Amino acid sequence: MTKTPTLKTPRRRLPVLLAVFAFAALILAASAWAATRPNTVIHYGPVGTVSSHRATFHVASSKPGYVQCKRDARAWYKCTSAASGFVTLRNLRCGSHTFRARGVARSGLKDLTPAVRTWRIRC
């Protein structure tokens, strides 16, 4: 009759194995967080009808990187070099305007649902 070998792990190795598994789980969680897209918000800016031909906004992204902005039908442009900051639009014409902001993570992922602020300048 043959005896089946058994695997014995000394008790002092068990904490090391648990630490390795915990570290691997941490790395997986961090890489999953890095693969998510940023969320962008506009904290400050004109609302409703205003008389000023200048508008200042405070924009912020949930991920490290920078923020792109867009006014009305114009193209997107880099408006902050950090994940948050103030953006000022000058020499605005009378009428309705729409300002959009989207975060761009360091990985290059962009917010697919930009923050939007619409207001009107009264003349």
Side-chain angles (χ1 to χ4, degrees):
M1 182 151 94
T2 331
K3 190 173 182 184
T4 306
T6 58
L7 178 64
K8 292 186 178 180
T9 303
R11 288 186 178 195
R12 66 180 181 267
R13 287 189 184 173
L14 187 59
V16 173
L17 289 173
L18 290 175
V20 168
F21 286 124
F23 183 71
L26 181 65
I27 294 298
L28 288 173
S31 64
W33 181 82
T36 59
R37 295 185 180 275
N39 183 39
T40 313
V41 293
I42 299 172
H43 290 291
Y44 174 84
V47 178
T49 302
V50 298
S51 58
S52 176
H53 292 267
R54 167 189 262 185
T56 299
F57 301 90
H58 183 264
V59 296
S61 173
S62 62
K63 297 274 190 174
Y66 62 94
V67 177
Q68 289 183 331
C69 298
K70 180 177 183 175
R71 185 188 88 186
D72 300 326
R74 295 183 180 192
W76 290 100
Y77 65 96
K78 185 177 179 179
C79 56
T80 68
S81 58
S84 68
F86 286 95
V87 178
T88 300
L89 306 177
R90 294 175 176 84
N91 303 320
L92 297 168
R93 295 183 179 182
C94 299
S96 294
H97 295 280
T98 302
F99 176 77
R100 292 176 175 83
R102 68 179 178 192
V104 180
R106 288 183 184 153
S107 64
L109 292 174
K110 296 176 184 172
D111 186 350
L112 296 179
T113 56
V116 179
R117 181 70 63 99
T118 302
W119 77 105
R120 180 175 177 77
I121 298 175
R122 170 186 58 240
C123 290

